């Protein structure tokens, strides 16, 4: 179970003075090697990007050949201060990522070493701006999506889980988390049966799936409606990406406080950890490569959807 790390991470992040350095210190206390922290400034403020590699027994960091999993905590900000006081719903992605990093670090320190490397990344911003969105307001970010992808998407990852609060919609109506179909190089592929199996064993319930429109996997800034930024990492990697959407029964604004359900976050943390275990030892697939190659051969590449397209 990951409750201790979820609770500790929540107390750490629910602080108007929290920084990337504070998160790095917490992870080191959990047994991690020193995480990388980079402060990036944008037109609307600054944020601290935190990245940690938990080395695997047969991972590339040790000269092995086990695949690398990237886990991204996607968000605009942890808080919307001074407009809102406290931890906002939008912060659940970072909370999940920090708890995943903490739990995996503690496991590694005790001798429970996964086969493959796991690279966990997110950013720490307690005072992000907000912006209008239908049906509920979105959290904005002090930096743009290109900067997020640059600092959060590991170029060596063989697959990516992108965790994001996805409560501001009417298309997934469950308390907990949903997973998206696999997205790779502009193709929305079928939902991974292996990931559905992990989701079922973690939750003990039937799986929930986040439906995607083509526009959802295109870059921000193209004038198209996006359900949120959960699939933005796919615009800057050739690796398969799956969204882990923390969801609710009713629409909840990303800027709402008092809306974080720790039980949902803890389930998402366990899901990411179980995926990391199985992916690293080669018994879990995000997609069928032969099926993907067949689609590309028959219909051509869809990489244009990873770009801004025509003006």
């Amino acid at each position: 179970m990951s409750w201790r790390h979820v609770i500790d991470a929540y107390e750490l992040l629910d602080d108007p003075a929290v920084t990337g350095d504070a998160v790095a210190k917490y992870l080191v206390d959990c047994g991690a090697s020193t995480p990388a922290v980079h402060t990036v400034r944008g037109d609307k403020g600054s944020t601290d990007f935190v990245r940690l590699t938990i080395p695997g027994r047969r991972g590339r960091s040790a000269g092995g050949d086990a695949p690398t999993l990237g886990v991204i905590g996607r968000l605009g900000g942890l808080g919307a201060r001074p407009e809102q006081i406290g931890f906002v719903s939008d912060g659940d992605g970072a909370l999940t990522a920090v708890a995943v990093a903490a739990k995996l670090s503690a496991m590694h320190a005790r001798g429970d070493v996964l086969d493959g490397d796991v690279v966990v990344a997110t950013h720490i911003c307690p005072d992000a701006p907000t912006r209008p969105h239908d049906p509920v307001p979105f959290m904005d970010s002090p930096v743009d999506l290109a900067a997020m992808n640059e600092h959060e998407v590991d170029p060596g990852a063989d697959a990516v889980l992108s965790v994001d609060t996805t409560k501001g919609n009417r298309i997934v109506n469950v308390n907990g988390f949903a997973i998206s179909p696999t997205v790779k190089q502009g193709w929305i592929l079928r939902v991974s049966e292996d990931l559905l199996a992990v989701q079922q064993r973690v939750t003990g319930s039937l799986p929930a799936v986040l439906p995607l429109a083509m526009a959802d996997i295109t870059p921000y800034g193209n004038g198209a409606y996006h359900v949120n930024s959960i699939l933005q990492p796919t615009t800057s990697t050739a690796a398969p990406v799956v969204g882990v959407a923390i969801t609710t029964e009713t629409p909840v604004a990303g800027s709402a406080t008092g809306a974080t359900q720790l039980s949902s976050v803890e389930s998402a943390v366990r899901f990411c950890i179980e995926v990391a275990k199985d992916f690293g030892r080669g018994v879990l697939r995000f997609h069928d490569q032969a099926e993907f190659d067949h689609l590309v051969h028959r219909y051509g590449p869809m990489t244009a959807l990873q770009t801004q397209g025509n003006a």
Side-chain angles (χ1 to χ4, degrees):
M1 301 298 287
S2 306
W3 273 108
R4 170 61 60 194
H5 300 91
V6 170
I7 292 171
D8 288 348
Y10 181 84
E11 288 300 313
L12 171 68
L13 299 179
D14 185 20
D15 183 339
V18 67
T19 63
D21 288 335
V23 172
K25 180 181 182 303
Y26 165 66
L27 294 177
V28 169
D29 290 344
C30 290
S33 56
T34 305
V37 179
H38 296 286
T39 300
V40 178
R41 303 188 186 280
D43 294 337
K44 303 173 185 177
S46 66
T47 190
D48 294 340
F49 286 93
V50 180
R51 183 192 294 224
L52 173 68
T53 298
I54 300 94
R57 183 172 57 86
R58 297 187 300 108
R60 294 200 182 99
S61 62
D65 59 357
T68 299
L69 178 68
V71 178
I72 297 173
R74 183 49 64 109
L75 71 159
L78 302 172
R81 300 173 178 90
E83 288 82 3
Q84 297 277 52
I85 297 175
F87 189 88
V88 297
S89 175
D90 193 55
D92 290 357
L95 174 58
T96 301
V98 171
V100 166
K103 178 65 175 180
L104 286 175
S105 296
M107 290 168 57
H108 191 280
R110 290 196 298 258
D112 270 342
V113 181
L114 277 58
D115 282 68
D117 295 345
V118 182
V119 182
V120 184
T122 191
H123 73 98
I124 306 301
C125 179
D127 50 6
T130 61
R131 63 183 175 88
H133 183 268
D134 182 50
V136 293
F138 264 0
M139 286 290 294
D140 205 347
S141 173
V143 298
D144 61 26
L145 268 298
M148 288 189 188
N149 284 344
E150 177 185 353
H151 291 277
E152 293 176 347
V153 180
D154 182 68
D158 297 288
V160 176
L161 293 176
S162 176
V163 189
D164 198 347
T165 307
T166 311
K167 304 173 185 176
N169 64 81
R170 297 185 179 91
I171 58 175
V172 180
N173 309 119
V174 295
N175 280 317
F177 72 91
I179 63 172
S180 77
T182 299
V183 179
K184 178 176 169 64
Q185 293 176 279
W187 279 94
I188 300 177
L189 304 173
R190 63 189 176 110
V191 183
S192 165
E193 293 288 340
D194 293 341
L195 292 176
L196 290 173
V198 174
Q199 186 182 21
Q200 286 186 164
R201 85 169 183 245
V202 164
T203 64
S205 302
L206 293 172
V209 174
L210 172 70
L212 295 177
M214 296 294 284
D216 293 325
I217 68 170
T218 61
Y220 270 26
N222 63 358
Y225 177 91
H226 296 75
V227 62
N228 65 357
S229 66
I230 191 167
L231 266 305
Q232 289 301 292
T234 195
T235 65
S236 63
T237 180
V241 179
V242 167
V244 181
I246 299 176
T247 57
T248 46
E249 287 187 11
T250 60
V252 175
S255 57
T257 57
T260 293
Q261 303 294 329
L262 291 186
S263 57
S264 299
V265 172
E266 197 274 335
S267 293
V269 169
R270 282 187 287 120
F271 173 78
C272 293
I273 291 171
E274 293 302 307
V275 170
K277 292 178 186 177
D278 290 352
F279 185 69
R281 61 194 180 101
V283 299
L284 179 149
R285 297 190 305 174
F286 275 58
H287 74 299
D288 184 323
Q289 184 63 38
E291 185 176 86
F292 175 77
D293 291 341
H294 172 73
L295 288 169
V296 173
H297 173 75
R298 194 171 186 94
Y299 297 103
M302 299 289 283
T303 49
L305 292 174
Q306 295 179 283
T307 73
Q308 290 291 338
N310 297 323

